[in-house]
Amino acid sequence: MTLQDLHACTWVNASQVTKHPHGDALLAVAGSDHNISLISIVEARVVSLFQGHSKAVVDLAAPSDCPGLLVSLSMDGNIRLWHASHQECAASYSSDALSLAVSPDGSHFVTGGKKGALHMYQIPDQCWGPMPPDGIEAQTSPEREQLNLECSTSGKHTEGIDCMQYLSAHRLATKSVDGRMNVWDLEERKQISTWKVPSCSVGGGLSLRCRFGATPDGTYICVGNTTGDVYVYNTSDGNRMTHVAPIKVSAPVRACGLSPDCRHLLAVVGNGFIFRFEYRRPNAQAFDKENMDANMVESDDADD
């Protein structure tokens, strides 16, 4: 798989799955070769290969609290559930979705459709643990629930949802290709906040898809557009906190992420650039200069 063919990746909960005494981290990656590779960070190699999709895999998601579970979405019209302890499909679903997100507890997942519709699927209990000796019967026609969520007229998704992520147990963030972003309370079935990311192109498919990232506590979201700009928003009210842009590069922001303390922002721009932005307090430069002067004085004293 070449770098250009990589469409999706996600961390898989490795607890109770890894055989390493000090633990491991598992990264699932997938793209246009139809397969999903599970990479062990400790061993620095592919330890499992999930095969079953007939077209490119466009999205991957894994619940943070459910060891070994992985959900994949492909352009072949199928969603498949896998478990890291085996390489067989645990369940399959027919769908025309563009993106998906799995709840932290692994009880269900939500898909985003081509016209902005959201659907929820329940995950069978058998998928949470090791595969039974006789396997799990694939579910090709499960019941799905269309989520009718209370929202403002301007905040309704009307274009395809290209990225979504759970911020907490009941809070889900969604983004459509036109830059409309929403944060939902799925327990109350209502919208928490909504905003529009500037300069997002509707056409272009996967080549212009801009994924967003969020802080671990779900307080802030960072998201880019098709011209290379990156924005940080407060998820509770949709207020824009900051805006940064790379120098001399105008290309889609493929993905971005914030450090837990919000000091560092990473953005993948175009086909080969990774930019790191660092937040520095207004008095940080003066503080650094004072420390430098103090160190110079100490050095002079030492020489004497």
Side-chain angles (χ1 to χ4, degrees):
M1 182 186 300
T2 64
L3 181 62
Q4 292 81 356
D5 295 327
L6 180 64
H7 296 324
C9 65
T10 190
W11 293 105
V12 177
N13 187 334
S15 61
Q16 304 176 24
V17 176
T18 178
K19 297 180 181 179
H20 296 282
H22 301 293
D24 196 357
L26 298 175
L27 179 66
V29 299
S32 59
D33 69 348
H34 313 171
N35 300 322
I36 304 167
S37 300
L38 191 64
I39 301 172
S40 164
I41 302 303
V42 170
E43 299 183 17
R45 67 180 183 90
V46 175
V47 293
S48 294
L49 188 67
F50 302 139
Q51 298 176 306
H53 287 297
S54 59
K55 291 186 178 180
V57 177
V58 296
D59 210 354
L60 294 170
S64 57
D65 302 334
C66 189
L69 186 63
L70 174 67
V71 186
S72 61
L73 170 65
S74 170
M75 295 180 68
D76 61 9
N78 279 306
I79 297 172
R80 291 177 176 261
L81 273 62
W82 315 84
H83 197 277
S85 61
H86 53 78
Q87 298 183 32
E88 297 181 7
C89 177
S92 64
Y93 307 79
S94 297
S95 175
D96 61 351
L98 296 177
S99 59
L100 60 82
V102 184
S103 63
D105 64 358
S107 62
H108 63 274
F109 62 87
V110 178
T111 62
K114 297 177 181 179
K115 296 183 179 180
L118 296 172
H119 291 91
M120 179 182 290
Y121 297 79
Q122 299 298 319
I123 295 179
D125 294 345
Q126 302 94 315
C127 297
W128 296 359
M131 174 72 80
D134 55 351
I136 298 175
E137 182 179 355
Q139 301 186 21
T140 55
S141 300
E143 293 184 4
R144 69 174 185 176
E145 175 190 0
Q146 181 166 346
L147 297 178
N148 296 313
L149 306 175
E150 178 185 340
C151 69
S152 62
T153 303
S154 61
K156 184 178 181 180
H157 285 302
T158 57
E159 300 289 342
I161 298 176
D162 63 346
C163 186
M164 54 201 312
Q165 181 179 332
Y166 269 87
L167 304 178
S168 62
H170 302 292
R171 287 200 305 153
L172 176 70
T174 58
K175 172 187 168 292
S176 50
V177 294
D178 60 351
R180 171 59 58 187
M181 292 207 65
N182 285 310
V183 177
W184 309 96
D185 185 327
L186 296 186
E187 189 174 40
E188 299 291 335
R189 298 297 176 104
K190 67 179 183 180
Q191 183 185 73
I192 297 176
S193 59
T194 183
W195 65 87
K196 189 76 175 290
V197 181
S199 304
C200 286
S201 300
V202 174
L206 291 175
S207 63
L208 294 180
R209 180 171 60 176
C210 300
R211 296 180 180 272
F212 64 84
T215 52
D217 61 3
T219 301
Y220 299 103
I221 278 179
C222 58
V223 59
N225 61 17
T226 53
T227 60
D229 298 285
V230 183
Y231 304 88
V232 178
Y233 295 90
N234 188 314
T235 60
S236 63
D237 52 21
N239 286 336
R240 184 193 298 180
M241 308 305 296
T242 190
H243 163 227
V244 295
I247 301 174
K248 297 182 179 180
V249 176
S250 179
V253 179
R254 309 291 186 186
C256 50
L258 277 169
S259 62
D261 61 0
C262 295
R263 182 176 178 182
H264 302 279
L265 188 155
L266 290 176
V268 180
V269 183
N271 289 328
F273 297 97
I274 299 178
F275 290 88
R276 182 179 70 87
F277 302 92
E278 181 180 358
Y279 172 76
R280 305 191 70 187
R281 299 189 307 274
N283 61 345
Q285 186 173 359
F287 178 79
D288 291 344
K289 185 177 185 302
E290 290 177 2
N291 284 345
M292 184 182 300
D293 293 342
N295 290 336
M296 291 179 64
V297 171
E298 291 176 1
S299 297
D300 293 339
D301 292 341
D303 292 338
D304 295 338

